[in-house]
Amino acid sequence: MKSVYLDNNATTAVDPEVLEAMLPFYTEHFGNPSSAHRHGSHPAAKLRACRNDIAAFLGCSPGELTFTSCGTESNNLAIRGILDADENKRHIITCSVEHSAVLNPVKRMRDMGYDVTILPVDSEGQIDLQELEGSIRDDTALVTIMYANNETGVLLPVDRIAEIVAARGVPYHSDTVQAIGKLPLDLGALPVDSISVSGHKLHAPKGVGLLYIRKGTRCRPVLLGGTQEKGRRPGTENVAGIAGLAKACELAAARIENYPKDIRALRDRFEQTILSEIPGTAVNGAGAERLPNTTNIRFDGVTGGAMLMHMDEVGIYASAGSACKSGAGEPSHVLSAMGLTPEQARSSVRFSLGGETKSEDIDYALDHITRIVNRLRKGSPQAAGQ
Ligand code: PLP
């Protein structure tokens, strides 16, 4: 059966070149980079080289990078670590469409006595910048607002947010997990204080991520242990994973000029064909600037869950809500925050294309999706999977 993978915001396939870059660090160069003997020296040198290369890719200094296990860990470290560094400030600002890897650590801090402002978004998934400015207080310890939303692809104006927040001398963390590798990003030009990266969103493996923390931004460790990553994130480094991440960044840098426009053309054709061929459909966040690979489409009268099941049967893979929560049965908190009713949110499906998505994959998906929606709307028991 043909397989059309349209769930690249959930995870991406490891690029063969990435895998090749990783393998030696499981075999001949398996040593611990902290070991003083010969087996440690090659992994230690690789670690230094990867840090330098990734720093060049992101436009920062190597010393500003801390390797972690994933995007979730990076967000937790930024939030907890920055708050712990200044215990006199007890107010946090975030927004309602953040990933649970930000919202849940922030809610934990609220349970621990912090005051939390969760900024609402409008129907396009945007915060009001004046409201942001007005909610910054003398005791605001951290603003954490994402760059690209994982469910809708909606981009938040991080550069303007960074300017507003920097003018008040408050640290600004941005969850950039979905943006890295899909959009060019230059930390030299973007005044954020920390960002999170997750390897498996850009064709590196699962189990590796990083946190950028601008020099001078105080951030205490969450894990306590040895001196790896200057003590900021102790634990023996995942050298193979980091080698894979560095290779994935190199590959992303090579394709970043053309990737956004190529993938946007495919995404737009997919989206526009659905809107014109299938009545009762709408794109969530259509009026906003979005990631070029993502579209979140509402199919009135059918549930996202039924769509996913029927698409799976013909080899088309997408998701309803974020992968971390799909199956939970709750309507998406992102779509709800944008004003969709629970029913509308439940009838939405996220399609996220990847570099390997071909024009014929889009044709195949369009053909089947049109038929699936028609069948589901007719309510045939077969179509409903009963
Ligand atoms: N932040 C965003 C915006 C995400 O989309 C995800 C994963 O879907 C994460 C954080 C969590 O990243 P990880 O799976 O590496 O923990």
Side-chain angles (χ1 to χ4, degrees), residues 6 28 40 64 70 87 107 128-129 135 167 175 195 199 202 220 232 234 237 310 326 329-330 334 353 358:
L6 300 177
E28 71 219 82
E64 294 174 312
C70 61
E87 288 180 346
K107 285 177 185 162
D128 179 334
L129 294 179
S135 58
D175 177 350
I195 68 163
L202 70 149
R220 296 191 71 194
R232 190 168 261 166
E237 299 89 342
H310 287 270
S326 49
E330 295 276 309
V334 171
L353 285 62
K358 308 230 170 3

Side-chain angles (χ1 to χ4, degrees), residues 6 264-275 295 297 299 351 353 361-363 365-366 369:
L6 300 177
R264 177 176 282 116
L266 277 182
R267 190 274 314 266
D268 287 353
R269 180 163 78 79
F270 176 71
E271 196 172 272
Q272 279 153 20
T273 308
I274 288 185
L275 292 178
T295 180
I297 305 184
F299 297 89
F351 301 91
L353 285 62
D361 297 335
I362 294 298
D363 294 335
L366 284 168
I369 289 168

